[in-house]
Amino acid sequence: MDCQKCKNLISEYLEENLDSSQKKLFEEHISGCRKCENELNQLLDSWELLDEYSVPELSEDFTLKVTHKVHEQARTNDSEQANLWDKIVEALTLKKVAFLPALGSLIILAALGYSLLKGGSVGINQQPEISISQKAQIVRDVKDEEIIRNLEIYQNVEMLENLDVLDDLETLENMEEEK
Amino acid sequence: MVTELENLKDEELMLQFQKGDEACFRTLVDRHKKRVFHLTYRFLNGSPDAEDVAQEVFVKIFFSKDSYKPLAKFTTWLFTITRNTCFQNLKKKGKLISLNEKADETNSEMQSMISDRNSENPSETCLDEEKRRIVADAIAKLPETQRMVILLRRFEQLSYDEIAEVLGVTVQSVKSLLFRGRCSLKDLLKEYFNENV
């Protein structure tokens, strides 16, 4: 085993993860190589030295303090929940509805503004677009109107006032011809 | 009743606690408080906050009892919460107490120990305290995750798998962090060995 191979295995050796044959080869190299032996010893010694890191005694009332903190936290959580509920209730009380008309106006203005910007058909200058079939209908209606206007009887407004439906106009015209 | 509880395993106590038995929670605190405190104390470099942080760990356990699932060991869950709380504490405080500040603190601590204890051999106490300070400073100089791995392995004897679970990393990462930590400690403590050869 060379030094590089030994270096690669040193971690596994320290953690006692090498199988017996690898361990034997590793230890053989260490016993014959001063440099690798030093490296290993320093690692082992520094690990050993960590034992010196003692910790002071824990206070005797540790568990009691934890219990107090738990109850304190529970109370805080409860009061936070209660505060949240109070805020919701407060927001919904009548005392706080003074802002509602202002809010309503704001919403209406916003909707109006949006419609204007969108170019919606709310203005008096804009007429709804007319489809082809509707145009045909209008043309037909105009022709009908011309026909009606051409009728002699139509000239006499007084007579027209006594008529209920346009369908009767033709009959009246016929009557006129007969006269 | 208390004796009965003491015979129960951690996982069983936790399940009873989930059902509302607070005595089980107190038994768990009594059983693990030292381990948790040792970890927080060493990780936070002997900070005076270490005990408060350890208490905070158990408070968190209390309020997150419903999230505990007995699939893993209780201690793995406990140390995961301890790790998170320690890291949060460091973030909150910015960084560790500067080493100089710490050294001053330790010196005064050491002096009071010597005068208080009426030790028969003050020089021995002084030497022990110096060793403790050197080791503490070396550990404090390690990056946070490396430090946590070293402490969990060296003092809490956790397995690679458990450490991996606590830190949320792979076993291979744990091995690598551990070895790098050991090499760093070796370099940091080299001076001590050179002085004492």
Side-chain angles (χ1 to χ4, degrees):
Chain A
M1 183 180 288
D2 59 12
C3 290
Q4 188 55 46
K5 177 93 175 166
C6 176
K7 206 176 172 184
N8 292 341
L9 290 176
I10 206 161
S11 163
E12 298 296 318
Y13 178 79
L14 289 168
E15 292 295 321
E16 297 180 2
N17 288 335
L18 293 182
D19 61 40
S20 55
S21 62
Q22 278 182 315
K23 191 179 172 186
K24 198 181 164 192
L25 286 169
F26 181 86
E27 285 173 345
E28 273 174 11
H29 175 82
I30 291 290
S31 60
C33 176
R34 190 71 184 267
K35 195 183 158 201
C36 289
E37 189 189 12
N38 275 344
E39 179 81 7
L40 178 66
N41 286 339
Q42 279 179 2
L43 281 165
L44 288 168
D45 290 344
S46 56
W47 197 243
E48 193 79 15
L49 192 66
L50 297 188
D51 274 342
E52 300 298 328
Y53 199 171
S54 57
V55 173
E57 282 295 310
L58 196 57
S59 61
E60 282 180 11
D61 57 350
F62 182 90
T63 309
L64 194 67
K65 281 180 183 169
V66 170
T67 315
H68 281 317
K69 279 189 177 179
V70 161
H71 290 143
E72 204 175 297
Q73 179 80 49
R75 268 200 301 275
T76 312
N77 292 350
D78 286 348
S79 65
E80 273 174 11
Q81 275 182 346
N83 282 345
L84 183 69
W85 179 245
D86 285 349
K87 278 177 189 169
I88 294 166
V89 170
E90 201 183 347
L92 298 172
T93 51
L94 288 171
K95 287 176 189 173
K96 295 279 176 180
V97 296
F99 69 96
L100 285 179
L103 184 69
S105 308
L106 189 70
I107 293 167
I108 292 165
L109 281 171
L112 203 61
Y114 177 77
S115 306
L116 285 169
L117 285 171
K118 264 290 221 192
S121 59
V122 292
I124 51 169
N125 294 332
Q126 281 181 308
Q127 294 297 327
E129 204 172 317
I130 301 164
S131 68
I132 293 169
S133 60
Q134 280 176 318
K135 280 176 184 169
Q137 180 65 38
I138 288 164
V139 169
R140 195 169 62 80
D141 290 347
V142 168
K143 279 180 182 170
D144 288 347
E145 199 179 333
E146 278 173 2
I147 292 163
I148 293 164
R149 279 181 197 281
N150 290 336
L151 290 173
E152 274 182 47
I153 194 160
Y154 185 73
Q155 310 298 323
N156 192 339
V157 179
E158 282 178 11
M159 278 181 77
L160 262 177
E161 282 174 352
N162 297 323
L163 296 174
D164 292 331
V165 286
L166 287 175
D167 290 343
D168 294 333
L169 286 172
E170 203 173 340
T171 319
L172 285 168
E173 192 178 24
N174 292 336
M175 281 170 66
E176 191 75 19
E177 280 173 4
E178 279 171 16
K179 279 181 188 174
Chain B
M1 180 65 184
V2 173
T3 324
E4 272 176 38
L5 290 181
E6 278 167 5
N7 291 333
L8 290 177
K9 285 180 188 171
D10 292 340
E11 291 74 19
E12 290 168 332
L13 283 169
M14 210 39 219
L15 290 175
Q16 295 273 10
F17 171 47
Q18 282 181 328
K19 288 175 190 165
D21 189 348
E22 285 192 22
C24 292
F25 171 70
R26 285 193 293 274
T27 309
L28 283 167
V29 176
D30 281 333
R31 195 178 284 180
H32 296 288
K33 61 186 177 187
K34 275 192 180 175
R35 289 183 84 184
V36 171
F37 172 61
H38 287 187
L39 184 58
T40 58
Y41 183 86
R42 289 180 176 127
F43 185 81
L44 299 171
N45 192 23
S47 159
D49 290 345
E51 192 171 318
D52 279 340
V53 173
Q55 284 166 9
E56 204 184 320
V57 170
F58 288 106
V59 173
K60 282 183 182 175
I61 296 266
F62 186 94
F63 288 104
S64 47
K65 64 175 188 285
D66 295 330
S67 69
Y68 171 74
K69 289 184 180 67
L71 299 169
K73 274 174 77 174
F74 171 76
T75 46
T76 309
W77 189 58
L78 176 71
F79 283 125
T80 307
I81 293 175
T82 309
R83 179 207 73 146
N84 290 339
T85 314
C86 283
F87 281 24
Q88 279 162 10
N89 183 271
L90 280 190
K91 268 188 194 168
K92 213 189 287 177
K93 293 195 103 184
K95 280 285 161 191
L96 276 177
I97 303 166
S98 75
L99 291 172
N100 292 338
E101 206 179 310
K102 186 62 209 157
D104 290 345
E105 225 174 78
T106 320
N107 285 339
S108 61
E109 228 175 72
M110 192 164 62
Q111 280 164 2
S112 66
M113 268 178 77
I114 294 165
S115 55
D116 290 351
R117 282 187 181 178
N118 293 325
S119 169
E120 285 182 7
N121 194 347
S123 62
E124 203 174 298
T125 314
C126 197
L127 194 69
D128 287 348
E129 188 50 40
E130 198 196 343
K131 269 193 211 171
R132 201 200 71 86
R133 186 182 59 79
I134 288 166
V135 173
D137 285 354
I139 289 178
K141 281 177 185 166
L142 297 175
E144 288 163 20
T145 315
Q146 241 179 58
R147 193 186 327 153
M148 187 54 88
V149 172
I150 292 283
L151 296 176
L152 289 172
R153 183 68 181 164
R154 179 67 175 84
F155 297 102
E156 304 307 326
Q157 277 88 41
L158 260 63
S159 69
Y160 289 143
D161 287 337
E162 284 172 315
I163 298 172
E165 211 171 316
V166 168
L167 294 173
V169 297
T170 62
V171 171
Q172 197 50 47
S173 300
V174 171
K175 285 183 180 178
S176 159
L177 283 164
L178 187 64
F179 186 60
R180 274 189 278 143
R182 287 182 82 147
C183 291
S184 302
L185 282 176
K186 181 202 76 178
D187 294 335
L188 289 163
L189 296 170
K190 202 184 274 178
E191 259 180 54
Y192 172 82
F193 289 116
N194 290 340
E195 281 171 16
N196 290 278
V197 169

